[in-house]
Amino acid sequence: MDKQEFAAVKAQFTPWLTRLSGGQVDELKAELAQCTSLADCIAIIEERGAKMLACPDCDGVKLYRHGIYYGLQRYRCRQCHRSFNALTNTPLAFIRLREKWLPFLQCMLGSMTVRAAAEAIGIHRNTSFRWRHRFLAMAKDDRPQPLGGIVEVDETYLLESQKGSRHLTRPARRRGGKSSRRGINGEHDCIVIAKARNGPACDFVTGRGPVTKAQLHRCLPPVLAAGVILATDGAAAYKAFASEAKIEHRPVNLRQGVRVDGLFHVQGVNHYHSRFRNWLLRFHGVASRYLPHYLGWLHELACRRISKPQQFLRAALLPAGI
Ligand SMILES: [Zn+2]
């Protein structure tokens, strides 16, 4: 709306203001707050649009603006003639109620449960669940640049969970859930975390059962900078991986009670493990297939120290690499 139009609307509206009750003023305020939220939300979505250099369908680079649809700029590709917007082909493409996205992300910053977030912003709990995972599906790829210096690597295990699944592939566990066998086995999901000393962390769900050398080869090299020194416990998989990948390795022999060997220890990564496990407790168990989402969520809170919903949306829409 241009200045003149706004002045005309305001002039029409002003005489009515003194006749509003307190409740009506509050209602209007809430309405206006939603407008701000929607405007902020669309501006952030369009930041992604401005960075889109190619058609999501055919990778054609000759694009032109093609009107505005539901508040979002549409683009058209000269090569395949398809039109698209900044959210096309993303998990957020068909989510409505954009005025509630930022308030919802505010709830996620507070690590609220599905139900609490649904109540706070007035959406159905199934919608709240779906939104959580749509936002996290994008944010989970928001990871730091390669880790450098001393990098602590260690794994932690969680009992696999089929929470929410209609068809269990094993008999249901009774109350609390315990593995049917002792020790770490194929009933446990393995999470490997690599953490630079006093710096960012990367995480990987490597699969079921103890971590293997082959899994470390798949996960670690892409996130490690040249010349890193790996600090791990004495597990054989790390030793074998480091020697084959020709990475300097300083194992700490925890079994023999050695916790710190000069600069080399795994206390930072172990602290991150326990933070993750404690933070998960509020959700009363999470399904194995969503573990990468929850790791991504904690990463945004703990490593990126995101404190505003706008930052969260930006991280979801513009993860590293876009
Ligand atoms: Zn195209």
Side-chain angles (χ1 to χ4, degrees):
M1 188 180 286
D2 63 29
K3 248 185 178 175
Q4 256 183 338
E5 203 182 346
F6 178 68
V9 170
K10 199 174 155 199
Q12 265 195 342
F13 194 61
T14 311
W16 297 97
L17 289 179
T18 49
R19 295 179 52 193
L20 297 175
S21 69
Q24 288 166 333
V25 169
D26 285 344
E27 222 172 280
L28 266 184
K29 273 189 194 161
E31 197 88 7
L32 286 173
Q34 286 210 340
C35 290
T36 316
S37 164
L38 180 61
D40 268 12
C41 180
I42 287 187
I44 295 168
I45 295 171
E46 295 297 18
E47 282 173 27
R48 179 189 168 89
K51 291 190 178 177
M52 286 172 60
L53 301 173
C55 164
D57 280 308
C58 73
D59 285 336
V61 291
K62 290 195 171 163
L63 314 173
Y64 61 95
R65 288 166 184 264
H66 191 58
I68 297 205
Y69 194 65
Y70 279 98
L72 285 187
Q73 177 68 53
R74 283 196 81 72
Y75 301 88
R76 201 155 191 225
C77 169
R78 285 197 193 281
Q79 196 165 297
C80 69
H81 305 296
R82 293 230 170 93
S83 57
F84 54 91
N85 64 28
L87 296 178
T88 300
N89 291 356
T90 73
L92 303 180
F94 299 107
I95 302 193
R96 292 158 196 264
L97 303 174
R98 287 193 197 113
E99 69 279 9
K100 295 193 175 189
W101 286 16
L102 291 174
F104 181 77
L105 289 168
Q106 181 68 56
C107 297
M108 287 190 63
L109 287 177
S111 303
M112 283 165 80
T113 61
V114 162
R115 194 174 288 255
E119 278 167 16
I121 65 160
I123 53 174
H124 192 270
R125 60 180 186 281
N126 294 351
T127 310
S128 173
F129 179 82
R130 202 169 56 245
W131 281 21
R132 170 190 284 183
H133 289 291
R134 295 279 174 88
F135 283 114
L136 292 175
M138 297 195 74
K140 77 176 169 43
D141 297 324
D142 180 44
R143 284 296 183 277
Q145 295 300 307
L147 309 173
I150 298 174
V151 177
E152 299 176 28
V153 185
D154 201 5
E155 82 275 16
T156 189
Y157 297 91
L158 293 175
L159 198 56
E160 68 85 29
S161 163
Q162 300 182 22
K163 185 178 180 181
S165 173
R166 285 171 203 271
H167 306 286
L168 295 184
T169 58
R170 53 162 168 73
R173 294 194 193 104
R174 299 288 167 203
R175 299 190 62 81
K178 282 193 179 131
S179 173
S180 56
R181 288 170 285 158
R182 287 172 59 131
I184 300 302
N185 55 56
E187 290 177 52
H188 292 90
D189 292 310
C190 174
I191 299 163
V192 170
I193 292 180
K195 189 174 182 312
R197 180 68 46 83
N198 302 325
C202 284
D203 44 72
F204 313 91
V205 179
T206 55
R208 301 268 154 81
V211 66
T212 67
K213 176 182 78 172
Q215 289 167 340
L216 295 174
H217 272 293
R218 268 200 300 279
C219 303
L220 294 178
V223 302
L224 297 179
V228 293
I229 304 174
L230 280 196
T232 71
D233 63 17
Y238 294 112
K239 191 174 175 200
F241 159 74
S243 120
E244 286 178 14
K246 300 194 170 30
I247 294 174
E248 189 175 345
H249 180 215
R250 302 296 286 262
V252 182
N253 200 339
L254 296 178
R255 281 206 182 139
Q256 290 186 3
V258 181
R259 298 211 157 266
V260 179
D261 174 9
L263 272 176
F264 304 102
H265 58 77
V266 287
Q267 290 178 338
V269 73
N270 286 338
H271 176 72
Y272 198 81
H273 285 162
S274 46
R275 185 164 178 184
F276 181 58
R277 300 174 79 98
N278 288 333
W279 177 76
L280 276 189
L281 292 176
R282 76 195 65 209
F283 303 117
H284 304 290
V286 301
S288 293
R289 65 195 176 108
Y290 289 128
L291 273 179
H293 287 191
Y294 287 91
L295 284 161
W297 187 354
L298 184 67
H299 179 265
E300 301 300 78
L301 302 179
C303 292
R304 297 244 302 164
R305 299 199 175 91
I306 281 180
S307 59
K308 291 193 178 132
Q310 287 86 347
Q311 293 171 309
F312 206 149
L313 183 59
R314 217 169 256 128
L317 287 170
L318 300 157
I322 288 187

